[in-house]
Each structure stands twice: as C-alpha cells, then as structure tokens.
Amino acid sequence: MSLAVVYSRAQTGIDAPLVSVEVHLSNGLPGLSIVGLPETEVKESKDRVRAAILNSQFEFPARRITISLAPADLPKEGGRFDLAIALGILAASEQIPSELLSQYEFIGELALSGELRGIRGVLPATIQTARAKRGLFVATSNADEAALVSEATVFPAAHLLNVCAHLSKQTLITPHAQSLSAQQQATKNLTANLSDITAQHHAKRALEIAAAGGHSLLMIGPPGSGKTMLASRLPGILPPMTETEALQTAAIQSISYHGFNNKHWKQRPFRTPHHTASGVALVGGGSQPRPGEISLAHNGVVFLDELPEFERRVLEVLREPIESGKIVISRAARQAEFPARFQLIAAMNPCPCGYYGHSNGRCRCTPDKILRYRNKISGPLLDRIDMHIDVPALPIKDLNKINQTQEESSEQVQHRVSKARQIQIDRNQCSNSQLSNSHVKEHCRLDKKDAALLESAIEKLGLSARAYQRILKVARTIADLENEEYINTKIISEAISYRRLDRAAV
C-alpha cells in the first residue's frame, strides 16, 4: 500500500486555506473515490485526471484509489485540485519521486490531454503560499498574476509532464518573474485629467479634499454640470497605491467572475454600478459567495450616478460597510468576509426634472415633489456621507473660456493630495475618514470660539453626533492640505459649508 501527500489551496472568500491532498492506493476492486466535501466540479476531476495521466504516457493504477481532501469540513470547489490529485496518484504509484512534494504547492485544472489550464483566484493562494515559504506551481496563463506577489516563488507549467520532469529533476522549471517594464506600464494612470474641466472651482476643491482624506462626497447639480466628469477624475488625483493596497485589491478581483487584469496593477478601481443594480450586486452574495461592487472597489472608488434612482433598500445595504470597511456574507452552508474600504462618490439632480434653481427657469416641480425626490435618500445614509456640495450649471460666459484658461492638472493636485495623505498616515496610521472617536478628540481639537461656531451650526442644521464627527474629520483634512497644525475658524467654516443637504431629524 502506498500513500502520498500533496499540498494545494482552496478558496473561501478572500482566503485560501491549505488543503492536503492525501492519495492512498490499496488492494481491492479498481476505482477512485474523493472524500472531503468535494463539490460537483471536484468530483468530476477523477475523469479529467485519469485521461490526463494516460495521455501523458503514464500508467493509471489498476487499484483502489482513495483521495482525501483535508480538512474534511472545508468545502472544495472548482478544478483547482486536478494537478495535485494527479501528482498524488503518480507519487503514490511510484511513477514520480515524492521527496520534493512537501516543498511545493500545486494549483491548476487539467485538460484531458494533460495540459494545464489557469484558474480563478490564484492571487490569494499565492499570497498564502509565500507566507508558508513554499514554491507554487501554476498554469502558464496564471504565472504573471501570481508573480505580482514579490515574495512568492512561482513555477509556470504548460503540461503535467513539465511538472513531473521538474520533480524528477530531469528538466527544471525556472521561477517566473513579472517583468519590470510590464509593471511600469501597468502603473500608468489611464484616467482622464482634471484639467479637462473648466471652472467648477468649488467642486474641484471639494474633490481634492475628498481625495486627501478619503471622504465620501455627494454632488447635487442639473444635467450637464459636470458631476460625472468630476467623479471620473477622482482616481487620477488619489495617492498612488502601495504594494500592500495593490495586492489587496488585485486579490479580490482575482476571485471575481472576470478575474484580475494585470494591466490594472496599481490602478485604483473605479466602479460605476447602474441604478438598476440589486443589493447582491453591490455587496456580493450567491450560494458560493462572490465579491460585489463595493469589494471590487476596495482601495478605490464607487460612483453612484443618479443616486435617488437606486432602490432605497439597495442603498441601505451600504450603511454598514461605509462604517466598517468590510462586508460579511452569510449563507446556510458557509460565511465569507470581503474587505470593502471604498470611497463613495454619488451624484444626483436637485429635483425630478433636474433643473431646480437653473437660470433657464425650466423647472416646474412643486416643493412636495422635490421633497419626495430627495427623501428617497434616507437620513441615516446621508448622515454617513461626509460632504454634500452643489455643482451648478456652467454659465455661457464660462463655456466660452474653454481652451482659453489653464486649469490645474491631475498631477499637480495629486502631489498636494499625496503630501496631505502622508501627513495623516504619519500621524494616525490611516486616512482622516477612518479616524476613531478618540483620535478625533486628540487631533481635531478646537479653541472656544471655533467650538462655539460649530455648535451653533450643529443646532441650526439639526445635525447628528455622527455628522459632527465627520465635519471635524473634513476640517482636519483641510488643515493637512494647508499644512496647518491646528484647525482654525476659516477651516471649520469651510468644513461646515460642505454639508449641503443636512436637515433636522423629523
């Protein structure tokens, strides 16, 4: 009787727990059974593995083969265990040596010919393998993605025979390295430039503050005032992604339906779900939980255009992740947690027709209609949005100045934003939007005059304690942009001005 153990990785949410593929050959009627909570795709692997072994000119053992995927209580899905199962059978039947198996982990789906196919979610598995200090064998198509983990030793293989030749020390596979030129090309920011937008200086200022502190922002304005253009420029002025942030974002996208595109390496995600999107589409879900839009935007931006057109119950699911930076999806059989530290940018019209307050006088909406329209956004959600600003229609005289004035570029604004964000990281180890209440008390202190000013505004606007905290956080960001150690009257006044839609609780 022979036994072989091969290491692989399962996928549970954003995690990739270790799976020991134990293969036992015993006497009895020839057959192959897989135990250890395998899903249908895993059960089907016995047919793929048998054909791959035979077509690779190996002998498929005519014995009873038992394959255990441990731990037994962890659900396994997909064809990711094919390569490990095949190698376990070959090692247990002594057709390949087993001495080196403990040094590596193996992930890949086998074609009937023995060729290796790529799988979804290789990046989380690579991160965990690197921490375990083992090498990782993957399909050639997964090699570039896996090599984004700089600490990992990734071995690309096109065929089962290539892996067997390496383990037999006949033809060694060279570890794969992501080319520097490819990384440099991937980090180029492909977003449009802020200099494309003429005037709207108040909105640009708010956008800069939002970028510097990681604050959420709601823009209210008529059609054609530039709300969508402003939102699309935000990724271009955000601070460059760190290696850790880039890996976190790429890992989430790696397990999504579309997978991760290497061209987006170190680019902040910008997700724009349509207003017909469901709650599951936004936060994730499914019988086998997958990340939603807010998780796919981790360390990036979610832009919700026409905010009141979203179903109210859909918007309400955003309340918890805006605060916590994560989303937990629970199902009867399993639970998955996905990070969701995203920056919410939203846009809406001032009224149902969109032209309330416009100089053309086209609006015929009654006050009751306008109130019902704005009440589609609940008070608790509005309370969690740090900044609300007006984006008025651009006057004709300003339109005529297009291409005649030199506007600031995204690069210039990004330089100031990055400097302010670094001040926050050095002081708080996080952006100002993530400050805890104790840190707000410590870093957002006001003198008596400014405290009285803020208290007066809170009473007149009927603001909540949460809104009070958010005004202080925005003020702290403005002070960081101005390189001011303390918050002064001018700064606190500007921060209060960014609460356009606040209203007293009914």
Side-chain angles (χ1 to χ4, degrees):
M1 295 188 293
S2 300
L3 177 69
V5 179
V6 184
Y7 296 120
S8 187
R9 294 274 167 183
Q11 178 189 314
T12 304
I14 197 65
D15 295 324
L18 181 68
V19 171
S20 298
V21 180
E22 303 169 347
V23 180
H24 180 232
L25 272 60
S26 60
N27 296 325
L29 291 175
L32 190 154
S33 62
I34 302 176
V35 297
L37 277 185
E39 300 285 350
T40 302
E41 305 97 312
V42 181
K43 292 178 181 178
E44 291 173 347
S45 68
K46 59 186 178 183
D47 297 316
R48 293 193 298 271
V49 167
R50 186 177 189 279
I53 288 176
L54 292 174
N55 287 323
S56 298
Q57 309 307 312
F58 287 106
E59 178 186 348
F60 192 81
R63 302 173 65 183
R64 180 163 185 80
I65 305 172
T66 304
I67 298 171
S68 174
L69 306 179
D73 60 347
L74 178 71
K76 288 80 173 184
E77 62 182 15
R80 60 197 301 121
F81 303 107
D82 287 6
L83 177 59
I85 291 173
L87 293 174
I89 292 173
L90 293 175
S93 59
E94 300 181 351
Q95 297 183 69
I96 62 171
S98 59
E99 291 79 13
L100 299 180
L101 287 177
S102 61
Q103 301 177 20
Y104 304 107
E105 295 182 13
F106 305 87
I107 294 179
E109 180 181 328
L110 284 173
L112 299 185
S113 62
E115 293 180 358
L116 268 180
R117 291 174 175 160
I119 55 101
R120 189 171 55 231
V122 74
L123 203 51
T126 308
I127 294 171
Q128 296 296 328
T129 302
R131 291 175 182 169
K133 301 188 183 305
R134 297 191 187 95
L136 177 65
F137 278 86
V138 298
T140 304
S141 58
N142 283 144
D144 281 343
E145 180 180 335
L148 293 174
V149 183
S150 55
E151 301 86 3
T153 305
V154 179
F155 297 92
H159 199 281
L160 174 62
L161 287 172
N162 300 137
V163 183
C164 294
H166 181 93
L167 295 174
S168 301
K169 300 181 180 180
Q170 296 175 355
T171 305
L172 298 180
I173 298 175
T174 304
H176 185 78
Q178 177 76 282
S179 65
L180 183 61
S181 59
Q183 286 194 20
Q184 288 174 335
Q185 179 67 26
T187 56
K188 288 184 179 178
N189 203 321
L190 304 179
T191 56
N193 205 292
L194 197 63
S195 61
D196 299 335
I197 302 175
T198 301
Q200 298 294 15
H201 301 296
H202 178 68
K204 288 182 181 179
R205 169 69 171 171
L207 200 69
E208 181 177 341
I209 294 168
H215 302 291
S216 49
L217 173 67
L218 172 60
M219 295 179 284
I220 307 105
S225 59
K227 303 185 295 295
T228 302
M229 286 185 69
L230 284 161
S232 65
R233 269 66 178 175
L234 179 59
I237 65 174
L238 287 171
M241 296 184 83
T242 64
E243 189 84 12
T244 301
E245 287 178 332
L247 277 177
Q248 290 173 348
T249 302
I252 298 170
Q253 295 176 353
S254 176
I255 65 174
S256 68
Y257 179 78
H258 296 289
F260 176 69
N261 188 334
N262 283 19
K263 293 180 180 178
H264 298 155
W265 173 244
K266 285 195 173 181
Q267 286 184 23
R268 294 203 180 263
F270 183 74
R271 308 292 299 189
T272 57
H274 192 259
H275 63 257
T276 57
S278 65
V280 171
L282 282 184
V283 302
S287 56
Q288 299 172 354
R290 290 278 185 265
E293 292 289 339
I294 62 173
S295 292
L296 294 173
H298 183 59
N299 294 318
V301 179
V302 172
F303 176 50
L304 302 182
D305 201 4
E306 306 295 345
L307 187 65
E309 300 303 324
F310 283 81
E311 288 188 33
R312 183 164 179 146
R313 62 179 180 80
V314 172
L315 292 178
E316 294 307 298
V317 302
L318 297 177
R319 286 161 52 177
E320 181 183 345
I322 286 176
E323 294 280 345
S324 64
K326 64 181 180 180
I327 184 71
V328 179
I329 301 171
S330 297
R331 295 292 180 265
R334 65 185 70 180
Q335 185 181 79
E337 179 179 309
F338 298 107
R341 183 67 66 186
F342 63 97
Q343 192 166 350
L344 175 64
I345 306 297
M348 63 179 286
N349 295 327
C351 67
C353 78
Y355 291 99
Y356 177 72
H358 198 286
S359 58
N360 62 20
R362 290 168 55 182
C363 180
R364 295 293 181 269
C365 298
T366 64
D368 187 51
K369 283 185 178 179
I370 295 174
L371 185 60
R372 282 203 304 270
Y373 176 75
R374 294 184 179 181
N375 280 343
K376 290 181 179 180
I377 307 169
S378 70
L381 177 62
L382 195 64
D383 211 29
R384 287 169 167 81
I385 299 178
D386 298 338
M387 306 166 68
H388 327 140
I389 63 166
D390 277 321
V391 184
L394 206 59
I396 297 299
K397 60 183 179 65
D398 288 336
L399 286 173
N400 292 331
K401 293 179 182 178
I402 293 178
N403 299 325
Q404 296 179 12
T405 57
Q406 184 65 38
E407 301 287 347
E408 274 194 312
S409 67
S410 293
E411 291 76 16
Q412 291 172 299
V413 177
Q414 187 189 50
H415 177 72
R416 294 197 298 268
V417 166
S418 298
K419 187 177 178 181
R421 183 67 69 90
Q422 190 58 51
I423 291 173
Q424 299 164 39
I425 298 300
D426 293 340
R427 181 183 60 230
N428 320 319
Q429 286 74 55
C430 65
S431 65
N432 285 335
S433 64
Q434 301 173 33
L435 287 176
S436 65
N437 290 345
S438 60
H439 283 149
V440 170
K441 291 180 181 178
E442 181 181 355
H443 302 303
C444 305
R445 293 191 297 270
L446 304 177
D447 61 25
K448 289 184 179 180
K449 182 180 68 172
D450 295 332
L453 173 63
L454 181 54
E455 287 174 10
S456 175
I458 293 296
E459 291 177 1
K460 288 181 180 179
L461 296 174
L463 302 184
S464 67
R466 181 186 286 114
Y468 173 82
Q469 297 283 337
R470 291 183 184 275
I471 289 175
L472 287 176
K473 293 177 184 180
V474 171
R476 182 66 263 173
T477 299
I478 297 172
D480 292 336
L481 280 169
E482 304 295 333
N483 203 23
E484 295 283 352
E485 184 176 355
Y486 300 105
I487 299 172
N488 55 40
T489 303
K490 178 184 175 184
I491 290 173
I492 197 68
S493 299
E494 183 179 359
I496 294 171
S497 72
Y498 295 126
R499 299 292 300 187
R500 164 73 173 78
L501 282 185
D502 275 319
R503 55 184 182 265
V506 177

